[in-house]
Amino acid sequence: MTIRLYDTNARQVRDFIPLVPGCVSIYLCGATVQAAPHIGHVRSNLNFDIMRRWFAYRGYDVTFIRNVTDIDDKIIAKSAEQGRPWWSIGYENERAFNSGYDALGCLPPSYEPRATGHIPEMIEMMRELIARGHAYAADGNVYFDVRSYDDYLSLSNQELDNLLQPSGEGETGKRDPRDFAMWKSAKPGEPSWETPWGRGRPGWHLECSAMAHKYLGSAFDIHGGGIDLIFPHHENEIAQAKAFGDDFAAYWVHNAWVTMSGEKMSKSLGNSVLVSEMTKRWRPIVLRYYLGTPHYRSMIEYSEDSLREAESAFARIEGFIQRVQEKAGKAVEPAAEVPPAFAEAMDDDLSVPQALAIVHTAVRQGNSALSADDKETAVARLSEVRAMLGVLGLDPLDERWSSEDGDRSADLHGVVDSLVRLVLEQRQAARARKDFATADAIRDQLQQSGLEITDTPNGARWSLGSR
């Protein structure tokens, strides 16, 4: 058994060899909390949640760090715009992100450090980089000298001569315009902390280098994030950490975007779809299916139609699970192991689409067994399906999802079930007297209401259909 991952730095799929046998250390760039999350934000965490679950299934002890950037230019701009303290905006949106992660069934991180809680570590890193000749102070700022680090831009594969380094307001005193800020001098009315070089605040890149070092040490296995972070953020993280003396990340794994009309989903483009609103319109488990089942390196072009397709596909899985559970007359537990073909797909760079195809094949086989009244085979397929869905965080019988919406949801389902069964009895009576026009009209009305009606030897059954 060997898990293989696409390493952005190597530009190829590599066998995963942990630094410590049996253990996996992962650092994921988390939220910048200037605003509430849209589904593009949570996709990254969801993809790495699936990675984490697969490593755990394969027997690894996983340490998963997801940071919070609670101070940066965008948060300060929002503070000025809204007339609110920067920390109030950050904390409110941090809670919104965590609510979104939780709604979509993401496991909590091992640790979730905030940038502002690690200023001493950042100061120590800058002090060492200056001593080693990789950084310098100017006008209260501290800059990293990119020419001092020979492997700079190896991750993004750019040429230094052609580099355009993003710069913020007030970044004066640079020796080279390509140098980047690790620390920014204080401006009137902005938050600041005392350092040997004057009061100021951290640069975005320094935060992650310092926090990764604190929680995972000088070397760790996997650094993750969205493809938009490759440059400048991850490139600058590498330069700081390695110039400091760390080996840093052995593998770099990046997920693709959620797009709308071909553009990255972002607040600045005005095309974001907030998680808090989406979970009011769609079941969270359906959103997880929609965002988590494409390959993590594939773009997702958002549309209502594609979400409906995902809802319909997941409804077929749920319908199968419900029918077998009722046929078995008891709870069917997940299998101890997933099928070999599923494991092979997941080992191959987390190929969730191929793994999901194994799930749907098992569902079709199980449905055929039900039609043939082969209870034993149907139960066996359900046991496999539950094991596979569990790895993906999508088992609807898991306590996480079965308790979704609490008792109110269960009570409502019971009321609907009673009403639908009453209507189905009327339909059956119409069929018994050969009034097929009325029977068909009843079925059509139920389907228009969003219900799927399936005729079986044991009578008609209903389930939620696609919208």
Side-chain angles (χ1 to χ4, degrees), residues 303-426:
S303 72
E304 293 280 326
D305 287 343
S306 59
L307 246 172
R308 290 190 189 95
E309 290 172 5
E311 182 183 52
S312 180
F314 192 69
R316 289 193 292 272
I317 296 174
E318 286 187 302
F320 163 71
I321 293 172
Q322 180 185 6
R323 288 190 291 274
V324 178
Q325 288 275 104
E326 292 183 0
K327 182 76 172 179
K330 61 179 182 180
V332 176
E333 296 300 319
E337 296 183 357
V338 299
F342 180 93
E344 182 179 352
M346 292 297 290
D347 283 341
D348 183 16
D349 194 28
L350 303 174
S351 297
V352 176
Q354 286 70 34
L356 194 65
I358 309 302
V359 174
H360 284 287
T361 296
V363 168
R364 287 194 294 272
Q365 293 172 346
N367 281 328
S368 296
L370 283 173
S371 298
D373 203 26
D374 182 354
K375 175 181 172 181
E376 182 178 351
T377 298
V379 168
R381 294 294 83 76
L382 173 55
S383 186
E384 293 172 352
V385 166
R386 287 203 64 194
M388 292 185 283
L389 292 178
V391 166
L392 300 175
L394 284 168
D395 181 4
L397 297 182
D398 185 272
E399 183 179 354
R400 167 64 185 84
W401 300 113
S402 62
S403 60
E404 192 178 13
D405 297 329
D407 295 337
R408 181 180 176 82
S409 177
D411 291 344
L412 182 59
H413 185 280
V415 171
V416 173
D417 183 64
S418 297
L419 292 173
V420 174
R421 288 186 181 280
L422 178 62
V423 176
L424 289 177
E425 288 174 5
Q426 295 173 348

Side-chain angles (χ1 to χ4, degrees), residues 21 39 244 295 415:
I39 59 174
F244 179 71
H295 194 276
V415 171

Side-chain angles (χ1 to χ4, degrees), residues 6-279:
Y6 183 85
D7 180 5
T8 304
N9 195 42
R11 295 173 183 81
Q12 64 180 343
V13 177
R14 297 172 54 203
D15 289 352
F16 176 75
I17 302 173
L19 296 174
V20 178
C23 298
V24 181
S25 47
I26 303 172
Y27 184 93
L28 175 64
C29 283
T32 299
V33 288
Q34 87 273 14
H38 56 62
I39 59 174
H41 289 130
V42 297
R43 182 196 180 180
S44 181
N45 190 74
L46 181 51
N47 288 151
F48 284 90
D49 182 67
I50 292 173
M51 173 192 284
R52 174 189 185 178
R53 289 170 182 266
W54 183 244
F55 273 120
Y57 173 82
R58 281 304 200 189
Y60 288 92
D61 181 11
V62 183
T63 301
F64 183 74
I65 309 300
R66 182 184 68 211
N67 77 293
V68 176
T69 298
D70 59 343
I71 186 67
D72 84 332
D73 292 343
K74 295 177 181 178
I75 295 172
I76 291 172
K78 287 284 185 182
S79 174
E81 176 187 315
Q82 299 178 15
R84 295 171 57 196
W86 62 272
W87 43 264
S88 173
I89 292 172
Y91 184 60
E92 176 183 279
N93 291 311
E94 180 183 340
R95 293 181 64 186
F97 269 88
N98 283 325
S99 293
Y101 298 146
D102 184 61
L104 269 63
C106 295
L107 300 173
S110 305
Y111 306 103
E112 191 171 24
R114 295 189 184 107
T116 55
H118 297 80
I119 302 298
E121 290 84 355
M122 297 179 206
I123 293 173
E124 181 59 32
M125 182 168 280
M126 287 188 287
R127 182 182 284 115
E128 181 66 18
L129 287 170
I130 290 173
R132 289 175 174 236
H134 291 292
Y136 58 94
D139 298 341
N141 302 297
V142 179
Y143 297 108
F144 186 91
D145 180 356
V146 298
R147 292 171 298 174
S148 72
Y149 177 64
D150 292 339
D151 290 333
Y152 188 60
L153 301 180
S154 62
L155 181 68
S156 57
N157 200 28
Q158 299 183 76
E159 294 291 335
L160 185 60
D161 290 342
N162 300 324
L163 179 66
L164 294 175
Q165 186 80 254
S167 293
E169 183 183 351
E171 293 186 12
T172 60
K174 283 187 180 182
R175 297 174 184 171
D176 187 310
R178 296 167 295 189
D179 294 344
F180 63 86
M182 294 191 294
W183 191 262
K184 301 185 178 187
S185 62
K187 298 181 184 64
E190 290 188 356
S192 63
W193 289 261
E194 188 62 60
T195 76
W197 314 283
R199 292 193 67 84
R201 60 183 174 85
W204 178 29
H205 319 302
L206 178 65
E207 298 172 349
C208 285
S209 296
M211 288 186 285
H213 178 87
K214 178 177 177 65
Y215 291 93
L216 296 176
S218 62
F220 57 96
D221 292 304
I222 299 168
H223 196 309
I227 57 173
D228 53 319
L229 300 182
I230 294 174
F231 181 83
H233 186 47
H234 289 166
E235 197 74 79
N236 292 349
E237 277 189 66
I238 293 171
Q240 293 165 153
K242 292 203 169 185
F244 179 71
D246 287 354
D247 289 331
F248 213 47
Y251 297 79
W252 286 85
V253 180
H254 292 92
N255 64 278
W257 297 330
V258 179
T259 61
M260 292 181 71
S261 302
E263 294 185 272
K264 175 194 171 188
M265 185 173 288
S266 70
K267 299 181 185 71
S268 61
L269 293 175
N271 61 5
S272 59
V273 184
L274 295 181
V275 176
S276 58
E277 294 302 315
M278 293 293 284
T279 53

